[in-house]
Amino acid sequence: MADGLLAGGGLGLEPMSPEPERTGWAAEEEQAALEKGLFQDEDSCSDCSSHDKPGSSLQSFVPEGKTHFPEMFQTSQLLFYERFRAYQDYILADCKASEVREFTAEFLEKVLEPSGWRAVWHTSVFEVLVEVTDVDFTALKAVVSLADPYLCESQVSTFTLECMKELLDLKEHRLPLQELWVVFDDSGVFDQTALAVEHVRFFYQNIWRSWDEEEEDEYDYFVRCVEPRLRLHYDILEDRVPSGLIVDYQNLLTQCEESYRKFLNLRSSLSNCNSDSEQENISMVEGLKLYSEIEQLKQKLKLIENPLLRYVFGYQKNSNIQAKGVRTNGQKVTHVVSSTMTTGLLQALLRDRLCPEPCKEEMEIQFHSDPLSAINACYEGDTVIVCPGHYMVHGTFSIADSIELEGYGLPDDIVIEKRGKGDTFVDCTGVDIKISSIKFVQHDAVEGILIIHRGKTTLENCVLQCETTGVTVRTSAEFLMRNSDLYGAKGAGIEIYPGSKCTLSDNGIHHCKEGILIKDFLDEHYDIPKISMVNNVIHNNEGYGVVLVKPTIFSDLQESAQDGSEENKALKIQTGGDADVAERVDLEELIQCATGKMELYERADLSEQVEGNCEIVNELVAASTQKGQMKKKRLSELGITQADDNLMSQEMFVSILGNQFKWNGKGSFGTFLF
């Protein structure tokens, strides 16, 4: 079975981005693979570098600057599914975390040559050629001796042959397999050995975490940990993960490793202490704090590692854009963008936009050939007028001041299209930004087409042709979208974060993965978002029209939430035995509100139409109630017997009514528990 796998080139590696910076052959091999096309077809992937060496199906490489060393097997060109298949079908299968080493050893016994092959022992300080005389499969180590002739390259000039012999003696001539790079052999005999060693190296550098073995000893370690981490590795390589999220993951991983190391040291010191001293009690408290911190860090790591949760939560990007403020002379400038300017267009602009009425004072006008340069030239209070045309942009619109960006004409006549890879298209951090009558087209993106980090952004009469997520409304940001059309997002059309304010009126949101995604309570100190959805048409989305995402813990609080009768009255929702009656009342009220504007529809159609509105209302109210219960529980644990119930009324949404939900794949509304 292993023979069939390895013959097809099913094992290999390159170190993952979140790991510490690589030096030497690991980085060189990865770069060589990228230059040759990392994601090749399977057939081309198995071609050897020298066609006159028919015995081996693998490529070889010589590290730059080390020509006196023999060629190495190059194993970094493998595709995701090749690594996936190897770990799932041949190495780990359905093992527990505690059985990983045992399963790996069993696999190596089947495919690894026990002796007779050469390798380069590679560390951050030196590289030395060794001969493998035996393999300790249980310990995942090789028994080695120095090769003849002696080849060594070290960053320390004093590292002599005698020093190397002493070092090997200290290690009892046993070296970890992941530190060995197998020397190329064109016979093909050692192909399986090179690939198997590569898998051990890849796994312990990129997949394995030191705390894995201590987690609940469940089966399917591959499904829970290996697959999501492997997918993250390749998503990073293929530029499918925002750069900020990669940095966040690296930092979280480092923090978790440091905390876990401290925890292990503390636990070890406690196990050696038999006294019931005050110092031991203090250490116990410190250990509990470290344990809680580690669990929180692990949860955040899992959110990023899981492809679905990574899409759902993204990351809290801190924008470094600095507002310019008002010009020193206090002057406000109107920027006119046009690829070409004709006398007729200029006359029309003067009549309609620049001087619609007799000017009381002189107006400064600047002309630009592309909208990006106009945005970059803006100060507080400026206006950018984009004339009809198709503008190709290769950067990010970073809007940090309160400006107006408006198209002169219909949105389909004023198209701004982004080319080239990048995290975002339009980044908004200004206090009051207004965008109108423009069509934005996005390609080859990692993040959404529009992100509001903070402040208020108004989008009116626009068209957003998305590729990833459409609009993201971050915590503490405010977004108003009116009479606009949004479509094509591979993620959610609109992502609404906790603590934000979002007003959607008379828009079309369609042909996305999900229509609107409301992120609720990722951190407990965030408030419920204030949402107003009126007369929107949400249709033809692959999943739900609206999705609410919240932790599973809130479902456990449902019973306690139902007991808060006074809060339920304030929220006008009955969550006890009269829940069905209350839901019918809300539905009738919503129907009545919608009847005036939709007299042509029959009453049955109205009931079906506003059903989604009712579901969203009830779910948001229930979530708000549950959060209030959770707050009061924490306060009571701290010895505070009373909580401010008025907070609940401050967390209410504005209004959700009159929206139409049509032909969404999974329905009008759904809840995702994580």
Side-chain angles (χ1 to χ4, degrees):
M1 181 172 65
D3 293 345
L5 166 69
L6 295 177
L11 306 175
L13 157 74
E14 56 244 295
M16 190 176 184
S17 199
E19 290 298 313
E21 184 176 355
R22 293 157 302 236
T23 58
W25 292 329
E28 291 171 11
E29 186 181 11
E30 179 177 343
Q31 181 60 34
L34 290 173
E35 291 174 355
K36 294 181 181 180
L38 178 62
F39 302 101
Q40 310 171 41
D41 294 336
E42 186 176 10
D43 294 338
S44 64
C45 194
S46 62
D47 289 343
C48 59
S49 57
S50 301
H51 294 289
D52 58 344
K53 299 178 179 179
S56 175
S57 62
L58 299 178
Q59 297 177 345
S60 64
F61 82 106
V62 177
E64 185 178 353
K66 298 179 176 62
T67 53
H68 63 286
F69 273 88
E71 292 182 338
M72 305 290 109
F73 278 105
Q74 185 185 81
T75 48
S76 64
Q77 79 280 14
L78 298 177
L79 308 179
F80 164 80
Y81 70 85
E82 292 175 307
R83 299 189 192 276
F84 179 94
R85 182 182 62 171
Y87 287 120
Q88 182 186 48
D89 296 344
Y90 298 93
I91 303 178
L92 302 176
D94 59 351
C95 73
K96 303 176 183 178
S98 60
E99 298 172 334
V100 166
R101 181 174 289 270
E102 177 186 345
F103 273 57
T104 304
E106 290 179 0
F107 169 76
L108 292 176
E109 284 188 69
K110 298 175 183 177
V111 301
L112 205 66
E113 291 292 335
S115 62
W117 48 281
R118 295 190 303 165
V120 174
W121 180 20
H122 174 69
T123 70
S124 59
V125 178
F126 61 83
E127 298 87 30
V128 62
L129 186 64
V130 296
E131 186 91 22
V132 176
T133 59
D134 196 6
V135 177
D136 184 347
F137 295 104
T138 304
L140 304 183
K141 290 186 177 182
V143 181
V144 304
S145 61
L146 292 176
D148 187 22
Y150 173 71
L151 290 178
C152 179
E153 185 165 316
S154 173
Q155 299 177 11
V156 181
S157 58
T158 58
F159 208 86
T160 61
L161 173 60
E162 288 72 22
C163 293
M164 182 62 67
K165 288 181 178 179
E166 290 180 9
L167 180 59
L168 280 176
D169 289 338
L170 288 172
K171 290 182 172 289
E172 299 179 346
H173 289 254
R174 292 153 56 88
L175 304 178
L177 286 173
Q178 57 261 39
E179 294 182 7
L180 299 180
W181 297 77
V182 182
V183 171
F184 184 79
D185 185 283
D186 60 3
S187 67
V189 173
F190 299 113
D191 284 16
Q192 296 180 13
T193 296
L195 290 168
V197 169
E198 190 64 30
H199 267 283
V200 174
R201 176 164 45 245
F202 181 86
F203 178 80
Y204 283 102
Q205 285 183 345
N206 305 309
I207 305 297
W208 180 255
R209 306 287 181 252
S210 54
W211 53 82
D212 281 352
E213 199 164 358
E214 294 199 6
E215 287 194 345
E216 294 183 12
D217 206 7
E218 301 173 352
Y219 284 95
D220 287 337
Y221 171 72
F222 176 85
V223 174
R224 292 186 297 108
C225 299
V226 178
E227 181 180 356
R229 292 170 187 170
L230 185 62
R231 288 188 184 278
L232 175 61
H233 174 76
Y234 275 93
D235 283 349
I236 290 173
L237 286 181
E238 295 180 315
D239 294 322
R240 290 199 295 262
V241 181
S243 57
L245 187 57
I246 298 173
V247 173
D248 285 355
Y249 186 78
Q250 292 172 341
N251 293 335
L252 287 169
L253 197 57
T254 302
Q255 292 174 32
C256 198
E257 288 171 347
E258 291 177 355
S259 298
Y260 186 69
R261 187 163 49 249
K262 292 178 182 178
F263 177 76
L264 290 180
N265 293 335
L266 187 61
R267 188 172 65 180
S268 177
S269 65
L270 285 172
S271 64
N272 296 329
C273 179
N274 297 322
S275 63
D276 199 10
S277 63
E278 181 179 352
Q279 182 61 40
E280 183 182 6
N281 293 333
I282 294 174
S283 298
M284 288 286 290
V285 173
E286 184 181 350
L288 289 173
K289 289 181 179 179
L290 275 174
Y291 180 80
S292 176
E293 177 184 333
I294 292 168
E295 289 301 311
Q296 291 179 8
L297 290 170
K298 284 160 59 176
Q299 181 65 20
K300 291 179 180 179
L301 286 170
K302 287 178 181 178
L303 290 179
I304 300 176
E305 290 167 353
N306 184 291
L308 176 59
L309 297 180
R310 180 162 69 245
Y311 147 69
V312 168
F313 292 112
Y315 71 105
Q316 293 285 5
K317 177 181 177 183
N318 295 318
S319 179
N320 296 320
I321 310 169
Q322 297 295 324
K324 297 178 182 177
V326 181
R327 287 184 175 81
T328 53
N329 59 5
Q331 182 72 33
K332 294 181 180 179
V333 175
T334 299
H335 304 264
V336 177
V337 179
S338 181
S339 53
T340 57
M341 180 61 68
T342 63
T343 55
L345 177 59
L346 183 58
Q347 289 175 351
L349 279 171
L350 289 170
R351 180 185 68 247
D352 298 335
R353 290 288 190 273
L354 303 179
C355 297
E357 55 186 40
C359 298
K360 298 180 181 178
E361 58 183 27
E362 289 293 323
M363 176 187 297
E364 181 179 342
I365 302 173
Q366 294 182 11
F367 292 91
H368 305 264
S369 59
D370 71 277
L372 185 58
S373 64
I375 293 293
N376 293 336
C378 281
Y379 283 76
E380 184 78 13
D382 284 4
T383 300
V384 178
I385 300 175
V386 185
C387 297
H390 196 126
Y391 302 92
M392 306 297 293
V393 177
H394 291 271
T396 299
F397 283 14
S398 300
I399 308 177
D401 293 280
S402 298
I403 67 170
E404 293 189 24
L405 174 62
E406 59 177 286
Y408 179 52
L410 298 175
D412 286 338
D413 297 328
I414 303 124
V415 180
I416 302 178
E417 184 174 352
K418 180 176 173 62
R419 290 290 184 183
K421 291 187 177 181
D423 283 355
T424 56
F425 191 172
V426 183
D427 241 6
C428 296
T429 59
V431 176
D432 190 5
I433 299 169
K434 297 178 181 177
I435 304 174
S436 61
S437 302
I438 295 176
K439 180 177 182 178
F440 293 93
V441 180
Q442 183 189 41
H443 299 286
D444 202 15
V446 178
E447 287 191 81
I449 197 168
L450 171 63
I451 297 183
I452 302 100
H453 294 278
R454 54 183 177 269
K456 177 182 177 182
T457 297
T458 301
L459 195 72
E460 188 167 7
N461 194 33
C462 289
V463 176
L464 303 180
Q465 181 179 319
C466 314
E467 186 172 85
T468 51
T469 299
V471 178
T472 301
V473 189
R474 297 287 186 186
T475 299
S476 301
E478 183 177 355
F479 178 56
L480 282 76
M481 180 176 172
R482 293 191 291 262
N483 300 307
S484 297
D485 194 43
L486 188 157
Y487 60 92
K490 294 178 183 177
I494 299 178
E495 290 185 1
I496 304 174
Y497 273 68
S500 63
K501 184 176 180 181
C502 187
T503 302
L504 307 174
S505 176
D506 300 287
N507 303 292
I509 302 171
H510 55 98
H511 294 93
C512 303
K513 176 73 174 180
E514 310 284 354
I516 299 172
L517 190 146
I518 304 171
K519 302 180 178 182
D520 192 20
F521 313 121
L522 180 56
D523 290 319
E524 64 270 11
H525 61 274
Y526 288 154
D527 291 328
I528 192 169
K530 298 180 183 294
I531 302 172
S532 175
M533 292 172 53
V534 180
N535 299 332
N536 300 283
V537 182
I538 304 170
H539 65 96
N540 288 105
N541 296 290
E542 182 180 338
Y544 292 101
V546 177
V547 175
L548 176 66
V549 180
K550 61 182 182 179
T552 309
I553 186 173
F554 288 105
S555 64
D556 299 333
L557 294 173
Q558 182 68 42
E559 184 176 350
S560 60
Q562 290 174 347
D563 294 336
S565 58
E566 291 300 321
E567 291 172 351
N568 292 339
K569 290 179 182 178
L571 295 170
K572 298 180 182 179
I573 292 292
Q574 304 254 344
T575 56
D578 296 333
D580 294 337
V581 177
E583 188 167 328
R584 288 197 298 271
V585 171
D586 289 335
L587 186 58
E588 290 172 3
E589 290 176 356
L590 291 170
I591 294 171
Q592 188 174 1
C593 293
T595 303
K597 296 183 179 180
M598 307 180 67
E599 294 178 353
L600 297 178
Y601 289 90
E602 295 180 1
R603 192 170 185 82
D605 294 333
L606 284 171
S607 299
E608 181 179 348
Q609 176 186 335
V610 299
E611 181 180 352
N613 299 277
C614 185
E615 287 181 289
I616 299 168
V617 169
N618 289 340
E619 188 65 34
L620 285 178
V621 171
S624 181
T625 304
Q626 291 163 354
K627 186 182 180 185
Q629 295 291 334
M630 196 169 184
K631 281 182 177 179
K632 290 198 293 185
K633 181 180 178 182
R634 289 197 182 96
L635 290 173
S636 63
E637 290 174 351
L638 295 173
I640 303 173
T641 57
Q642 293 183 350
D644 184 7
D645 291 339
N646 291 329
L647 287 173
M648 298 303 302
S649 61
Q650 298 171 13
E651 294 174 346
M652 285 292 292
F653 51 83
V654 181
S655 61
I656 298 178
L657 55 89
N659 303 285
Q660 299 182 49
F661 300 87
K662 299 181 178 180
W663 309 301
N664 295 295
K666 295 183 179 179
S668 58
F669 178 77
T671 302
F672 177 79
L673 298 176
F674 69 96

